Amino acid sequence: MPSGTLLLIDDEPRLRQLLARVLELEGYTILQAPDARRGLELLEQHAADVLVVVSDVKLPDANGVELLPRLKAKAPDMEVILLTAFGTIPDGVKAMKQGAFDYLTKGDFEQQLVVVVDRAAEKARLRRRVAELERKMGQRHSFSSMIGSSGALRRAQTMGEQVAVTDSTVLLEGPTGSGKELFAQAIHEASPRRSKAFVAVNCSAFPRELLESELFGYKKGAFTGALADKKGLLEEANGGTLFLDEIGELELNVQAKFLRVLELQQFTKLGDTKPTNVNVRLVAATNRNLKQEAAEGRFRPDLYYRLSVFTINVPPLKDRPTDVPALAEYFLQYFAAKLCKRLPGLDVECLRLLQQYPWPGNVRELKNVLERAAILAPADQPLAAAYLPDEFHAPPAPLSFTDASPDDNSLRTVEARHIQLLLHRTQGNKTEAARQLGIGLTTLYRKVQEYGL
């Protein structure tokens, strides 16, 4: 049975009561008003609940057709059905142009009204569901929804928020799995283009011979097998944002075509003789050093300089260890919900192992580890370290600083030996070693890598 709130506006009490009774029997909650003024008051009070307004055209203080825009202004997502004793085609056309769902003539129409109200209510419900989904998607991909409070992450977020409101091209640099696509989506959602398409393309996922046709599209007959015109992903993103992940994989001839897109907002499809105009904002991402690639001839320098108008370094997880607990808890509860399993957090040892792990696969690796652990762990118990993969339980590898001779007393060697000693004393616990050394965990990771410990 349908449900929801309807508003009836009619100055004839007997007809209003009759319609209210008919619709109440269908499961609706009915609000009643004898004139436009009271109808607007009730709608303002119940705008979040009212799905449909059924209003007479001839009211004591207003014309229903002229009242319609005022009703829509108070509740844009609800529908309006107008009733009249003497319907005319011009009035009906005007009502529909003003946004009425339907225009009915009074008489023996109770059953017809029920059908029309049901359709109007369903349309209003659908519109509200879409709006709610769009709101949730916007929140999901916003900068404020990103998990973590480390300085490295906050700096990247601040830069993203500042550039989002512009139309500047953005280059996101960072290792695989660090969340570059999430940053690109957040930039799109914070931009004036948020209502348009966000199209993501992983340049490494396409065979090189197909990537150009997928991006730019082609005309019928452009090559064997081109049986019809094809719209490319650039056109799909028209008005919105195109995200090119792993842009360093583009071949040089495709790079040249993208340079034209950035400069003129136009390109030529395969097999076409006329350019196609587009209006897109480009966000690109790479895990390579594009500046070095350009210097060595593997990437066009002119495209690199156009892409790097605004560069954001998305920090790897090893540079934001303080974010690991919050991320781990989020992923654990996410997978617990999918598995219909209650997992009340992580135990101390499990959290310690997660924080001291270097995370070469970044946030993506952390997510995979927590999914596996959530599957294995028993319900109603904190996640134990035993359910982490084997690499978390391996004994610390023998540490050695092989570059120095025993009598080398340079500052670099002395520092490396001291770090090595503390890592042995703490059994490889980098968090504790960093605390004893009086340095940040990120600094310790960098020195371990630098000295080959």
Side-chain angles (χ1 to χ4, degrees), residues 265-322:
Q265 290 281 289
Q266 64 177 216
F267 63 93
T268 303
K269 296 181 181 182
L270 294 172
D272 202 355
T273 56
K274 296 181 296 184
T276 299
N277 295 310
V278 288
N279 174 19
V280 295
R281 198 253 186 96
L282 183 65
V283 178
T286 182
N287 61 4
R288 299 184 182 184
N289 185 335
L290 284 191
K291 188 173 184 179
Q292 182 177 342
E293 297 269 308
E296 295 174 359
R298 292 190 296 272
F299 198 85
R300 289 183 64 105
D302 46 4
L303 179 58
Y304 167 71
Y305 290 117
R306 287 304 304 267
L307 289 173
S308 59
V309 170
F310 199 95
T311 302
I312 300 175
N313 290 301
V314 180
L317 192 54
K318 68 181 179 63
D319 288 351
R320 36 186 291 223
T322 56

Side-chain angles (χ1 to χ4, degrees), residues 143-160:
F143 287 107
S144 60
S145 70
M146 292 183 182
I147 299 170
S149 56
S150 63
L153 180 64
R154 290 298 177 209
R155 284 191 293 274
Q157 286 175 323
T158 299
M159 293 181 70

Side-chain angles (χ1 to χ4, degrees), residues 69-194:
R70 297 167 66 189
L71 294 169
K72 284 281 193 178
K74 291 189 179 296
D77 55 0
M78 61 85 191
E79 296 296 335
V80 179
I81 299 170
L82 293 177
L83 307 178
T84 180
F86 306 101
T88 65
I89 292 175
D91 286 344
V93 171
K94 184 177 180 181
M96 302 303 281
K97 284 184 176 180
Q98 293 276 26
F101 182 82
D102 212 334
Y103 184 83
L104 303 177
T105 303
K106 290 182 179 180
D108 184 20
F109 72 125
E110 287 86 352
Q111 289 305 314
Q112 182 186 5
L113 178 65
V114 169
V115 173
V116 174
V117 165
D118 285 347
R119 288 184 8 236
E122 184 56 33
K123 183 178 179 181
R125 289 189 197 97
L126 180 60
R127 184 182 286 118
R128 290 183 181 183
R129 283 199 295 269
V130 170
E132 178 64 14
L133 285 172
E134 289 177 345
R135 184 186 66 80
K136 288 182 177 179
M137 287 297 289
Q139 289 178 343
R140 178 186 170 193
H141 295 138
S142 66
F143 287 107
S144 60
S145 70
M146 292 183 182
I147 299 170
S149 56
S150 63
L153 180 64
R154 290 298 177 209
R155 284 191 293 274
Q157 286 175 323
T158 299
M159 293 181 70
E161 289 167 347
Q162 290 173 331
V163 75
V165 297
T166 73
D167 250 353
S168 296
T169 301
V170 180
L171 178 62
L172 302 173
E173 295 182 332
T176 299
S178 57
K180 297 188 292 295
E181 184 167 350
L182 182 62
F183 259 82
Q185 289 173 321
I187 289 171
H188 174 73
E189 288 298 331
S191 76
R193 296 174 179 263
R194 67 180 68 88

